[in-house]
PDB file of all heavy atoms in Angstrom:
ATOM      1  N   GLU B 155       2.832  -9.610 -16.384  1.00  0.00           N
ATOM      2  CA  GLU B 155       2.167  -8.908 -15.515  1.00  0.00           C
ATOM      3  C   GLU B 155       2.427  -9.296 -13.959  1.00  0.00           C
ATOM      4  O   GLU B 155       2.736 -10.494 -13.817  1.00  0.00           O
ATOM      5  CB  GLU B 155       0.638  -9.011 -15.715  1.00  0.00           C
ATOM      6  CG  GLU B 155      -0.008  -7.906 -16.501  1.00  0.00           C
ATOM      7  CD  GLU B 155      -1.466  -8.222 -16.755  1.00  0.00           C
ATOM      8  OE1 GLU B 155      -2.083  -9.044 -16.135  1.00  0.00           O
ATOM      9  OE2 GLU B 155      -1.985  -7.707 -17.720  1.00  0.00           O
ATOM     10  N   LEU B 156       2.282  -8.392 -13.164  1.00  0.00           N
ATOM     11  CA  LEU B 156       2.369  -8.621 -11.705  1.00  0.00           C
ATOM     12  C   LEU B 156       1.175  -8.049 -11.096  1.00  0.00           C
ATOM     13  O   LEU B 156       1.111  -6.837 -10.903  1.00  0.00           O
ATOM     14  CB  LEU B 156       3.532  -8.198 -11.138  1.00  0.00           C
ATOM     15  CG  LEU B 156       4.316  -8.967 -10.019  1.00  0.00           C
ATOM     16  CD1 LEU B 156       4.490 -10.430 -10.300  1.00  0.00           C
ATOM     17  CD2 LEU B 156       5.649  -8.495  -9.637  1.00  0.00           C
ATOM     18  N   ARG B 157       0.111  -8.614 -11.005  1.00  0.00           N
ATOM     19  CA  ARG B 157      -1.220  -8.159 -10.665  1.00  0.00           C
ATOM     20  C   ARG B 157      -1.295  -7.283  -9.345  1.00  0.00           C
ATOM     21  O   ARG B 157      -0.662  -7.649  -8.433  1.00  0.00           O
ATOM     22  CB  ARG B 157      -2.224  -9.183 -10.513  1.00  0.00           C
ATOM     23  CG  ARG B 157      -2.224 -10.233 -11.645  1.00  0.00           C
ATOM     24  CD  ARG B 157      -3.260 -11.396 -11.392  1.00  0.00           C
ATOM     25  NE  ARG B 157      -4.500 -10.824 -11.326  1.00  0.00           N
ATOM     26  CZ  ARG B 157      -5.257 -10.547 -12.434  1.00  0.00           C
ATOM     27  NH1 ARG B 157      -4.750 -10.734 -13.622  1.00  0.00           N
ATOM     28  NH2 ARG B 157      -6.465 -10.088 -12.321  1.00  0.00           N
ATOM     29  N   ASP B 158      -1.784  -6.051  -9.557  1.00  0.00           N
ATOM     30  CA  ASP B 158      -1.986  -5.278  -8.335  1.00  0.00           C
ATOM     31  C   ASP B 158      -0.621  -4.903  -7.602  1.00  0.00           C
ATOM     32  O   ASP B 158      -0.734  -4.605  -6.373  1.00  0.00           O
ATOM     33  CB  ASP B 158      -2.952  -6.090  -7.384  1.00  0.00           C
ATOM     34  CG  ASP B 158      -4.291  -6.567  -7.873  1.00  0.00           C
ATOM     35  OD1 ASP B 158      -4.764  -5.707  -8.790  1.00  0.00           O
ATOM     36  OD2 ASP B 158      -4.667  -7.684  -7.717  1.00  0.00           O
ATOM     37  N   SER B 159       0.347  -4.919  -8.263  1.00  0.00           N
ATOM     38  CA  SER B 159       1.501  -4.553  -7.610  1.00  0.00           C
ATOM     39  C   SER B 159       1.713  -3.027  -7.460  1.00  0.00           C
ATOM     40  O   SER B 159       2.388  -2.558  -6.506  1.00  0.00           O
ATOM     41  CB  SER B 159       2.850  -5.021  -8.414  1.00  0.00           C
ATOM     42  OG  SER B 159       2.812  -4.326  -9.613  1.00  0.00           O
ATOM     43  N   GLY B 160       1.058  -2.332  -8.216  1.00  0.00           N
ATOM     44  CA  GLY B 160       1.061  -0.831  -8.040  1.00  0.00           C
ATOM     45  C   GLY B 160       2.466  -0.296  -8.639  1.00  0.00           C
ATOM     46  O   GLY B 160       2.865   0.746  -8.317  1.00  0.00           O
ATOM     47  N   TRP B 161       3.101  -1.110  -9.484  1.00  0.00           N
ATOM     48  CA  TRP B 161       4.308  -0.716 -10.015  1.00  0.00           C
ATOM     49  C   TRP B 161       4.252  -0.365 -11.584  1.00  0.00           C
ATOM     50  O   TRP B 161       3.328  -0.735 -12.101  1.00  0.00           O
ATOM     51  CB  TRP B 161       5.479  -1.814  -9.814  1.00  0.00           C
ATOM     52  CG  TRP B 161       5.873  -1.928  -8.388  1.00  0.00           C
ATOM     53  CD1 TRP B 161       6.179  -0.959  -7.527  1.00  0.00           C
ATOM     54  CD2 TRP B 161       6.208  -3.141  -7.729  1.00  0.00           C
ATOM     55  NE1 TRP B 161       6.622  -1.441  -6.368  1.00  0.00           N
ATOM     56  CE2 TRP B 161       6.518  -2.755  -6.480  1.00  0.00           C
ATOM     57  CE3 TRP B 161       6.164  -4.442  -8.167  1.00  0.00           C
ATOM     58  CZ2 TRP B 161       6.993  -3.835  -5.532  1.00  0.00           C
ATOM     59  CZ3 TRP B 161       6.569  -5.399  -7.313  1.00  0.00           C
ATOM     60  CH2 TRP B 161       6.977  -5.100  -5.948  1.00  0.00           C
ATOM     61  N   ASP B 162       5.135   0.367 -11.998  1.00  0.00           N
ATOM     62  CA  ASP B 162       5.221   0.757 -13.435  1.00  0.00           C
ATOM     63  C   ASP B 162       5.352  -0.672 -14.151  1.00  0.00           C
ATOM     64  O   ASP B 162       6.056  -1.622 -13.685  1.00  0.00           O
ATOM     65  CB  ASP B 162       6.350   1.556 -13.754  1.00  0.00           C
ATOM     66  CG  ASP B 162       6.157   2.989 -13.335  1.00  0.00           C
ATOM     67  OD1 ASP B 162       4.957   3.333 -12.995  1.00  0.00           O
ATOM     68  OD2 ASP B 162       7.058   3.793 -13.477  1.00  0.00           O
ATOM     69  N   GLN B 163       4.888  -0.668 -15.373  1.00  0.00           N
ATOM     70  CA  GLN B 163       4.982  -1.972 -16.153  1.00  0.00           C
ATOM     71  C   GLN B 163       5.282  -1.476 -17.579  1.00  0.00           C
ATOM     72  O   GLN B 163       4.863  -0.483 -18.154  1.00  0.00           O
ATOM     73  CB  GLN B 163       3.774  -2.604 -16.141  1.00  0.00           C
ATOM     74  CG  GLN B 163       3.679  -3.780 -17.041  1.00  0.00           C
ATOM     75  CD  GLN B 163       3.036  -5.109 -16.603  1.00  0.00           C
ATOM     76  OE1 GLN B 163       2.304  -4.875 -15.573  1.00  0.00           O
ATOM     77  NE2 GLN B 163       3.154  -6.120 -17.278  1.00  0.00           N
ATOM     78  N   LEU B 164       6.147  -2.326 -18.296  1.00  0.00           N
ATOM     79  CA  LEU B 164       6.552  -2.099 -19.676  1.00  0.00           C
ATOM     80  C   LEU B 164       6.235  -3.477 -20.283  1.00  0.00           C
ATOM     81  O   LEU B 164       6.613  -4.463 -19.874  1.00  0.00           O
ATOM     82  CB  LEU B 164       7.959  -1.734 -19.821  1.00  0.00           C
ATOM     83  CG  LEU B 164       8.490  -1.791 -21.245  1.00  0.00           C
ATOM     84  CD1 LEU B 164       7.787  -0.562 -22.020  1.00  0.00           C
ATOM     85  CD2 LEU B 164      10.021  -1.504 -21.270  1.00  0.00           C
ATOM     86  N   SER B 165       5.350  -3.500 -21.259  1.00  0.00           N
ATOM     87  CA  SER B 165       5.150  -4.681 -21.954  1.00  0.00           C
ATOM     88  C   SER B 165       4.808  -4.564 -23.475  1.00  0.00           C
ATOM     89  O   SER B 165       4.549  -3.535 -23.913  1.00  0.00           O
ATOM     90  CB  SER B 165       3.911  -5.450 -21.206  1.00  0.00           C
ATOM     91  OG  SER B 165       2.840  -4.632 -20.845  1.00  0.00           O
ATOM     92  N   LEU B 166       4.923  -5.623 -24.050  1.00  0.00           N
ATOM     93  CA  LEU B 166       4.676  -5.613 -25.535  1.00  0.00           C
ATOM     94  C   LEU B 166       3.101  -5.690 -25.776  1.00  0.00           C
ATOM     95  O   LEU B 166       2.399  -6.220 -24.860  1.00  0.00           O
ATOM     96  CB  LEU B 166       5.301  -6.961 -26.115  1.00  0.00           C
ATOM     97  CG  LEU B 166       6.767  -7.134 -25.762  1.00  0.00           C
ATOM     98  CD1 LEU B 166       7.236  -8.406 -26.535  1.00  0.00           C
ATOM     99  CD2 LEU B 166       7.598  -5.874 -26.127  1.00  0.00           C
ATOM    100  N   ASP B 167       2.701  -5.230 -26.829  1.00  0.00           N
ATOM    101  CA  ASP B 167       1.338  -5.390 -27.221  1.00  0.00           C
ATOM    102  C   ASP B 167       1.054  -6.764 -27.621  1.00  0.00           C
ATOM    103  O   ASP B 167       0.963  -7.064 -28.856  1.00  0.00           O
ATOM    104  CB  ASP B 167       0.939  -4.344 -28.121  1.00  0.00           C
ATOM    105  CG  ASP B 167      -0.604  -4.082 -28.239  1.00  0.00           C
ATOM    106  OD1 ASP B 167      -1.280  -5.033 -27.848  1.00  0.00           O
ATOM    107  OD2 ASP B 167      -0.883  -3.041 -28.641  1.00  0.00           O
ATOM    108  N   ASN B 168       0.902  -7.581 -26.598  1.00  0.00           N
ATOM    109  CA  ASN B 168       0.723  -9.146 -27.040  1.00  0.00           C
ATOM    110  C   ASN B 168      -0.426  -9.320 -27.845  1.00  0.00           C
ATOM    111  O   ASN B 168      -0.504 -10.032 -28.723  1.00  0.00           O
ATOM    112  CB  ASN B 168       0.724  -9.837 -25.708  1.00  0.00           C
ATOM    113  CG  ASN B 168       2.070 -10.001 -25.063  1.00  0.00           C
ATOM    114  OD1 ASN B 168       3.068 -10.288 -25.794  1.00  0.00           O
ATOM    115  ND2 ASN B 168       2.221  -9.670 -23.681  1.00  0.00           N
ATOM    116  N   ALA B 169      -1.668  -8.700 -27.375  1.00  0.00           N
ATOM    117  CA  ALA B 169      -2.972  -8.970 -27.951  1.00  0.00           C
ATOM    118  C   ALA B 169      -2.832  -8.526 -29.461  1.00  0.00           C
ATOM    119  O   ALA B 169      -3.140  -9.263 -30.373  1.00  0.00           O
ATOM    120  CB  ALA B 169      -3.999  -8.226 -27.291  1.00  0.00           C
ATOM    121  N   ASP B 170      -2.287  -7.392 -29.628  1.00  0.00           N
ATOM    122  CA  ASP B 170      -2.193  -6.801 -30.980  1.00  0.00           C
ATOM    123  C   ASP B 170      -1.281  -7.581 -31.803  1.00  0.00           C
ATOM    124  O   ASP B 170      -1.580  -7.936 -33.023  1.00  0.00           O
ATOM    125  CB  ASP B 170      -1.825  -5.331 -30.897  1.00  0.00           C
ATOM    126  CG  ASP B 170      -1.737  -4.832 -32.276  1.00  0.00           C
ATOM    127  OD1 ASP B 170      -2.851  -4.730 -33.001  1.00  0.00           O
ATOM    128  OD2 ASP B 170      -0.552  -4.555 -32.772  1.00  0.00           O
ATOM    129  N   GLY B 171      -0.222  -8.023 -31.335  1.00  0.00           N
ATOM    130  CA  GLY B 171       0.736  -8.906 -32.098  1.00  0.00           C
ATOM    131  C   GLY B 171       0.005 -10.231 -32.613  1.00  0.00           C
ATOM    132  O   GLY B 171       0.191 -10.523 -33.788  1.00  0.00           O
ATOM    133  N   ALA B 172      -0.564 -10.865 -31.595  1.00  0.00           N
ATOM    134  CA  ALA B 172      -1.263 -12.192 -32.012  1.00  0.00           C
ATOM    135  C   ALA B 172      -2.421 -11.893 -33.118  1.00  0.00           C
ATOM    136  O   ALA B 172      -2.594 -12.604 -33.932  1.00  0.00           O
ATOM    137  CB  ALA B 172      -1.823 -12.802 -30.818  1.00  0.00           C
ATOM    138  N   HIS B 173      -3.032 -10.670 -32.839  1.00  0.00           N
ATOM    139  CA  HIS B 173      -4.104 -10.379 -33.794  1.00  0.00           C
ATOM    140  C   HIS B 173      -3.487 -10.165 -35.167  1.00  0.00           C
ATOM    141  O   HIS B 173      -4.054 -10.634 -36.144  1.00  0.00           O
ATOM    142  CB  HIS B 173      -4.666  -9.042 -33.187  1.00  0.00           C
ATOM    143  CG  HIS B 173      -5.965  -8.718 -33.961  1.00  0.00           C
ATOM    144  ND1 HIS B 173      -5.965  -8.149 -35.100  1.00  0.00           N
ATOM    145  CD2 HIS B 173      -7.333  -8.915 -33.459  1.00  0.00           C
ATOM    146  CE1 HIS B 173      -7.389  -7.978 -35.494  1.00  0.00           C
ATOM    147  NE2 HIS B 173      -8.156  -8.383 -34.520  1.00  0.00           N
ATOM    148  N   GLN B 174      -2.414  -9.473 -35.178  1.00  0.00           N
ATOM    149  CA  GLN B 174      -1.869  -9.264 -36.534  1.00  0.00           C
ATOM    150  C   GLN B 174      -1.370 -10.587 -37.181  1.00  0.00           C
ATOM    151  O   GLN B 174      -1.564 -10.772 -38.371  1.00  0.00           O
ATOM    152  CB  GLN B 174      -0.407  -8.453 -36.314  1.00  0.00           C
ATOM    153  CG  GLN B 174      -0.656  -6.895 -36.141  1.00  0.00           C
ATOM    154  CD  GLN B 174       0.722  -6.240 -36.048  1.00  0.00           C
ATOM    155  OE1 GLN B 174       1.576  -6.368 -37.020  1.00  0.00           O
ATOM    156  NE2 GLN B 174       0.991  -5.566 -35.032  1.00  0.00           N
ATOM    157  N   ALA B 175      -0.775 -11.466 -36.338  1.00  0.00           N
ATOM    158  CA  ALA B 175      -0.329 -12.751 -36.976  1.00  0.00           C
ATOM    159  C   ALA B 175      -1.571 -13.543 -37.455  1.00  0.00           C
ATOM    160  O   ALA B 175      -1.563 -14.083 -38.613  1.00  0.00           O
ATOM    161  CB  ALA B 175       0.380 -13.492 -35.955  1.00  0.00           C
ATOM    162  N   THR B 176      -2.645 -13.580 -36.579  1.00  0.00           N
ATOM    163  CA  THR B 176      -3.824 -14.291 -37.058  1.00  0.00           C
ATOM    164  C   THR B 176      -4.398 -13.775 -38.247  1.00  0.00           C
ATOM    165  O   THR B 176      -4.779 -14.298 -39.258  1.00  0.00           O
ATOM    166  CB  THR B 176      -4.889 -14.277 -35.942  1.00  0.00           C
ATOM    167  OG1 THR B 176      -4.268 -14.588 -34.660  1.00  0.00           O
ATOM    168  CG2 THR B 176      -5.986 -15.253 -36.122  1.00  0.00           C
ATOM    169  N   GLN B 177      -4.519 -12.369 -38.291  1.00  0.00           N
ATOM    170  CA  GLN B 177      -5.035 -11.615 -39.501  1.00  0.00           C
ATOM    171  C   GLN B 177      -4.248 -12.038 -40.737  1.00  0.00           C
ATOM    172  O   GLN B 177      -4.861 -12.263 -41.813  1.00  0.00           O
ATOM    173  CB  GLN B 177      -4.995 -10.089 -39.233  1.00  0.00           C
ATOM    174  CG  GLN B 177      -5.793  -9.346 -40.022  1.00  0.00           C
ATOM    175  CD  GLN B 177      -7.295  -9.347 -39.487  1.00  0.00           C
ATOM    176  OE1 GLN B 177      -7.397  -9.260 -38.291  1.00  0.00           O
ATOM    177  NE2 GLN B 177      -8.201  -9.630 -40.469  1.00  0.00           N
ATOM    178  N   HIS B 178      -3.004 -12.050 -40.642  1.00  0.00           N
ATOM    179  CA  HIS B 178      -2.133 -12.478 -41.729  1.00  0.00           C
ATOM    180  C   HIS B 178      -2.439 -13.822 -42.191  1.00  0.00           C
ATOM    181  O   HIS B 178      -2.505 -13.986 -43.455  1.00  0.00           O
ATOM    182  CB  HIS B 178      -0.625 -12.409 -41.275  1.00  0.00           C
ATOM    183  CG  HIS B 178       0.361 -12.851 -42.186  1.00  0.00           C
ATOM    184  ND1 HIS B 178       0.670 -12.197 -43.386  1.00  0.00           N
ATOM    185  CD2 HIS B 178       1.119 -13.988 -42.196  1.00  0.00           C
ATOM    186  CE1 HIS B 178       1.508 -12.919 -44.018  1.00  0.00           C
ATOM    187  NE2 HIS B 178       1.960 -13.946 -43.296  1.00  0.00           N
ATOM    188  N   LEU B 179      -2.671 -14.728 -41.376  1.00  0.00           N
ATOM    189  CA  LEU B 179      -3.040 -16.051 -41.808  1.00  0.00           C
ATOM    190  C   LEU B 179      -4.462 -16.082 -42.443  1.00  0.00           C
ATOM    191  O   LEU B 179      -4.532 -16.856 -43.450  1.00  0.00           O
ATOM    192  CB  LEU B 179      -3.008 -16.986 -40.454  1.00  0.00           C
ATOM    193  CG  LEU B 179      -1.583 -17.284 -40.013  1.00  0.00           C
ATOM    194  CD1 LEU B 179      -1.683 -18.051 -38.751  1.00  0.00           C
ATOM    195  CD2 LEU B 179      -0.738 -18.038 -41.030  1.00  0.00           C
ATOM    196  N   LEU B 180      -5.284 -15.266 -41.889  1.00  0.00           N
ATOM    197  CA  LEU B 180      -6.661 -15.250 -42.458  1.00  0.00           C
ATOM    198  C   LEU B 180      -6.478 -14.795 -43.874  1.00  0.00           C
ATOM    199  O   LEU B 180      -7.215 -15.277 -44.925  1.00  0.00           O
ATOM    200  CB  LEU B 180      -7.534 -14.387 -41.704  1.00  0.00           C
ATOM    201  CG  LEU B 180      -7.987 -14.924 -40.324  1.00  0.00           C
ATOM    202  CD1 LEU B 180      -8.704 -13.797 -39.524  1.00  0.00           C
ATOM    203  CD2 LEU B 180      -9.053 -16.001 -40.508  1.00  0.00           C
ATOM    204  N   GLN B 181      -5.672 -13.673 -44.081  1.00  0.00           N
ATOM    205  CA  GLN B 181      -5.451 -13.211 -45.428  1.00  0.00           C
ATOM    206  C   GLN B 181      -4.898 -14.301 -46.403  1.00  0.00           C
ATOM    207  O   GLN B 181      -5.305 -14.149 -47.560  1.00  0.00           O
ATOM    208  CB  GLN B 181      -4.572 -12.007 -45.314  1.00  0.00           C
ATOM    209  CG  GLN B 181      -5.280 -10.765 -45.061  1.00  0.00           C
ATOM    210  CD  GLN B 181      -4.386  -9.626 -44.649  1.00  0.00           C
ATOM    211  OE1 GLN B 181      -3.248  -9.622 -44.957  1.00  0.00           O
ATOM    212  NE2 GLN B 181      -5.048  -8.543 -44.101  1.00  0.00           N
ATOM    213  N   TRP B 182      -4.148 -15.116 -45.884  1.00  0.00           N
ATOM    214  CA  TRP B 182      -3.635 -16.193 -46.732  1.00  0.00           C
ATOM    215  C   TRP B 182      -4.679 -17.236 -47.201  1.00  0.00           C
ATOM    216  O   TRP B 182      -4.547 -18.060 -47.911  1.00  0.00           O
ATOM    217  CB  TRP B 182      -2.559 -16.918 -46.096  1.00  0.00           C
ATOM    218  CG  TRP B 182      -1.193 -16.465 -46.488  1.00  0.00           C
ATOM    219  CD1 TRP B 182      -0.243 -15.871 -45.618  1.00  0.00           C
ATOM    220  CD2 TRP B 182      -0.426 -16.534 -47.719  1.00  0.00           C
ATOM    221  NE1 TRP B 182       1.007 -15.637 -46.259  1.00  0.00           N
ATOM    222  CE2 TRP B 182       0.743 -16.017 -47.540  1.00  0.00           C
ATOM    223  CE3 TRP B 182      -0.824 -16.966 -48.976  1.00  0.00           C
ATOM    224  CZ2 TRP B 182       1.710 -15.841 -48.628  1.00  0.00           C
ATOM    225  CZ3 TRP B 182       0.103 -16.899 -49.937  1.00  0.00           C
ATOM    226  CH2 TRP B 182       1.360 -16.311 -49.800  1.00  0.00           C
ATOM    227  N   GLY B 183      -5.849 -17.043 -46.501  1.00  0.00           N
ATOM    228  CA  GLY B 183      -7.024 -18.002 -46.762  1.00  0.00           C
ATOM    229  C   GLY B 183      -7.254 -19.030 -45.672  1.00  0.00           C
ATOM    230  O   GLY B 183      -8.065 -19.890 -45.872  1.00  0.00           O
ATOM    231  N   HIS B 184      -6.496 -19.112 -44.709  1.00  0.00           N
ATOM    232  CA  HIS B 184      -6.677 -20.008 -43.675  1.00  0.00           C
ATOM    233  C   HIS B 184      -7.998 -19.782 -42.851  1.00  0.00           C
ATOM    234  O   HIS B 184      -8.307 -18.580 -42.778  1.00  0.00           O
ATOM    235  CB  HIS B 184      -5.520 -20.090 -42.609  1.00  0.00           C
ATOM    236  CG  HIS B 184      -4.265 -20.585 -43.277  1.00  0.00           C
ATOM    237  ND1 HIS B 184      -3.844 -21.878 -43.350  1.00  0.00           N
ATOM    238  CD2 HIS B 184      -3.243 -19.865 -43.831  1.00  0.00           C
ATOM    239  CE1 HIS B 184      -2.649 -21.911 -43.952  1.00  0.00           C
ATOM    240  NE2 HIS B 184      -2.284 -20.703 -44.220  1.00  0.00           N
TER     241      HIS B 184
END
Side-chain angles (χ1 to χ4, degrees):
Chain B
E155 257 172 26
L156 214 50
R157 313 176 60 79
D158 308 316
S159 63
W161 286 323
D162 285 349
Q163 170 143 14
L164 174 63
S165 43
L166 309 183
D167 199 335
N168 287 311
D170 178 64
H173 193 278
Q174 283 184 56
T176 312
Q177 203 73 49
H178 172 68
L179 291 171
L180 287 168
Q181 275 166 12
W182 267 114
H184 294 273

